[in-house]
Amino acid sequence: MIKIKFFWIFLIVMLWSILFKLEIFNPILFPSPSSVITALGHSFFQEDLHIKLAYSISFILKGLALGFLVACMLVIFSLNNKYIDSLSDTLASMLDPLPSLAILPIVILWFGTGKNSIIFIILHSVIWPVMVNIKSGIKTQPIVYRELSDLIGINKLQRFFEIQLIGALPSVITGLKVAWARAWRALIGAEMIFGAIDGKSGIGYYIFEKRVFMDTNAMYASLIVIVLLGALVDYLFSVFENKTLKKWGMI
């Protein structure tokens, strides 16, 4: 599978080079692969792209961790109260399809253009898909899990974290994948709008900055960084699945 992916990447780069050499597009708007790779090295080693990337990733990790905890708490309350269960389902059906950037003007009015606003839109991107997938995974579990936990005599929190959540792990991973993708897109968009926060900025503002100064080589290079990071995260999820779900025979 990895070899096939590298083959397609090689094919895309070759097509890119051919289109550049044909001079169909303006070189400023459509730079060559070699110039973009050079700009990528320059951005990492002579500029501060790596610092901006780390700054953006720190927001994502904080938002994912906090969003996962909030989603778990909502699921716990939902499992023990039918009214909260109905309320959480209603909120998910209303808010899950709502893009984070669509609520950004309201978030700015509430929290301003600072860290709190970015954390809020990341939480909005994370909570609903994670909660929906955890609930779905638990509801499809065999009833013997619940009967076994009642027989053992563990409390509801232990049942959730030690039995139900682990049993729903395939659904949890699916929810985290969706949450990661949504949160990352929302973060990049918010950084482009907010710019620097407390004297620091992320990769989203870096792209916007390079666009303003028409440094298209660096702009394309930063997009490649985002693509590579997405591929890395997808690979890490695959490794985790192989080490857990497939090894345990859950899928």
Side-chain angles (χ1 to χ4, degrees), residues 9-41:
I9 292 173
F10 173 77
L11 203 61
I12 292 170
V13 173
M14 290 300 297
L15 179 60
W16 181 0
S17 300
I18 292 171
L19 289 175
F20 176 78
K21 291 179 180 179
L22 290 175
E23 298 182 353
I24 299 175
F25 307 104
N26 189 322
I28 297 177
L29 303 178
F30 193 77
S32 67
S34 59
S35 62
V36 171
I37 293 173
T38 302
L40 179 61

Side-chain angles (χ1 to χ4, degrees), residues 126-186:
V126 171
I127 291 173
W128 310 117
V130 172
M131 184 194 74
V132 168
N133 279 276
I134 292 177
K135 290 178 70 174
S136 175
I138 291 175
K139 288 179 179 179
T140 56
Q141 288 176 355
I143 194 172
V144 67
Y145 286 6
R146 181 182 182 90
E147 294 174 346
L148 180 61
S149 62
D150 290 337
L151 183 63
I152 297 173
I154 61 177
N155 59 46
K156 294 178 180 179
L157 280 178
Q158 287 178 309
R159 174 193 296 168
F160 175 77
F161 286 107
E162 297 178 12
I163 297 178
Q164 293 174 318
L165 190 62
I166 295 176
L169 200 55
S171 296
V172 173
I173 293 177
T174 300
L176 286 174
K177 283 183 178 180
V178 175
W180 148 261
R182 289 187 181 183
W184 185 243
R185 289 195 295 265

Side-chain angles (χ1 to χ4, degrees), residues 2-245:
I2 295 178
K3 291 181 179 179
I4 295 176
K5 288 184 178 180
F6 275 114
F7 169 75
W8 288 117
I9 292 173
F10 173 77
L11 203 61
I12 292 170
V13 173
M14 290 300 297
L15 179 60
W16 181 0
S17 300
I18 292 171
L19 289 175
F20 176 78
K21 291 179 180 179
L22 290 175
E23 298 182 353
I24 299 175
F25 307 104
N26 189 322
I28 297 177
L29 303 178
F30 193 77
S32 67
S34 59
S35 62
V36 171
I37 293 173
T38 302
L40 179 61
H42 180 269
S43 299
F44 259 99
F45 298 110
Q46 298 186 28
E47 294 186 0
D48 56 353
L49 179 57
H50 59 290
I51 297 176
K52 296 180 183 296
L53 180 62
Y55 186 69
S56 297
I57 292 176
S58 68
F59 270 116
I60 287 292
L61 294 178
K62 292 176 185 176
L64 280 173
L66 184 57
F68 181 78
L69 290 176
V70 173
C72 286
M73 295 306 299
L74 287 173
V75 174
I76 291 171
F77 290 135
S78 297
L79 292 174
N80 296 290
N81 189 300
K82 63 179 181 179
Y83 298 108
I84 296 180
D85 184 40
S86 176
L87 175 61
S88 63
D89 285 342
T90 303
L91 289 175
S93 63
M94 293 170 55
L95 300 177
D96 190 30
L98 190 63
S100 294
L101 291 181
I103 64 171
L104 194 55
I106 298 175
V107 175
I108 292 174
L109 289 176
W110 288 352
F111 303 108
T113 56
K115 293 181 180 179
N116 292 336
S117 293
I118 291 182
I119 292 295
F120 186 89
I121 63 170
I122 292 176
L123 287 177
H124 172 73
S125 302
V126 171
I127 291 173
W128 310 117
V130 172
M131 184 194 74
V132 168
N133 279 276
I134 292 177
K135 290 178 70 174
S136 175
I138 291 175
K139 288 179 179 179
T140 56
Q141 288 176 355
I143 194 172
V144 67
Y145 286 6
R146 181 182 182 90
E147 294 174 346
L148 180 61
S149 62
D150 290 337
L151 183 63
I152 297 173
I154 61 177
N155 59 46
K156 294 178 180 179
L157 280 178
Q158 287 178 309
R159 174 193 296 168
F160 175 77
F161 286 107
E162 297 178 12
I163 297 178
Q164 293 174 318
L165 190 62
I166 295 176
L169 200 55
S171 296
V172 173
I173 293 177
T174 300
L176 286 174
K177 283 183 178 180
V178 175
W180 148 261
R182 289 187 181 183
W184 185 243
R185 289 195 295 265
L187 174 64
I188 298 298
E191 287 179 341
M192 288 183 177
I193 296 171
F194 290 170
I197 300 173
D198 296 335
K200 299 179 181 180
S201 59
I203 191 170
Y205 185 66
Y206 182 85
I207 296 172
F208 178 80
E209 202 174 29
K210 295 304 178 182
R211 198 277 303 171
V212 170
F213 292 103
M214 285 303 293
D215 188 355
T216 52
N217 289 325
M219 188 173 66
Y220 276 82
S222 55
L223 292 176
I224 290 176
V225 170
I226 293 175
V227 170
L228 293 176
L229 179 63
L232 175 61
V233 172
D234 185 68
Y235 171 75
L236 293 176
F237 272 117
S238 298
V239 171
F240 181 72
E241 287 179 339
N242 289 327
K243 295 292 185 180
T244 55
L245 305 186

